[in-house]
Amino acid sequence: MQELYSIMRDLLDIEYNQESLLHILSILDKAYNETESKEAASVTNTVKYYLKDLQCELRTCISRIDNYLAENAKGR
């Protein structure tokens, strides 16, 4: 059970780091849009989209682990 809690903490750390990356990408996107570098803006938008999709998958995984832990806690 301790291993599951450790995995959950690791996943939450990953989620936090993804949020940090999204913030950086938003800053880059704004800077590229101001300089009219459409290609660079397109790349940052693509990376932001991919990162948001990964976050969605991560949240699903965290939710599944959370539900599993809650169910096992009830059974004890």
Side-chain angles (χ1 to χ4, degrees), residues 20-31:
S20 298
L21 285 173
L22 276 175
H23 180 70
I24 292 167
L25 285 170
S26 293
I27 292 169
L28 286 174
D29 191 35
K30 183 179 177 186

Side-chain angles (χ1 to χ4, degrees), residues 6 13-14 32 47-48 50 56 75:
S6 176
D13 284 342
I14 291 168
Y32 288 136
V47 173
K48 279 178 19 180
Y50 181 64
C56 183

Side-chain angles (χ1 to χ4, degrees), residues 4-41:
L4 285 174
Y5 285 118
S6 176
I7 291 168
M8 181 68 123
R9 279 191 303 274
D10 290 345
L11 291 172
L12 291 171
D13 284 342
I14 291 168
E15 185 178 30
Y16 174 79
N17 290 333
Q18 286 178 336
E19 285 292 331
S20 298
L21 285 173
L22 276 175
H23 180 70
I24 292 167
L25 285 170
S26 293
I27 292 169
L28 286 174
D29 191 35
K30 183 179 177 186
Y32 288 136
N33 281 329
E34 288 175 0
T35 62
E36 298 185 14
S37 176
K38 299 299 179 193
E39 185 177 321

Side-chain angles (χ1 to χ4, degrees), residues 59-72:
R59 286 185 188 118
T60 301
C61 182
I62 290 171
S63 179
R64 288 176 54 210
I65 290 174
D66 197 31
N67 289 337
Y68 174 80
L69 291 172
E71 288 298 318
N72 277 336

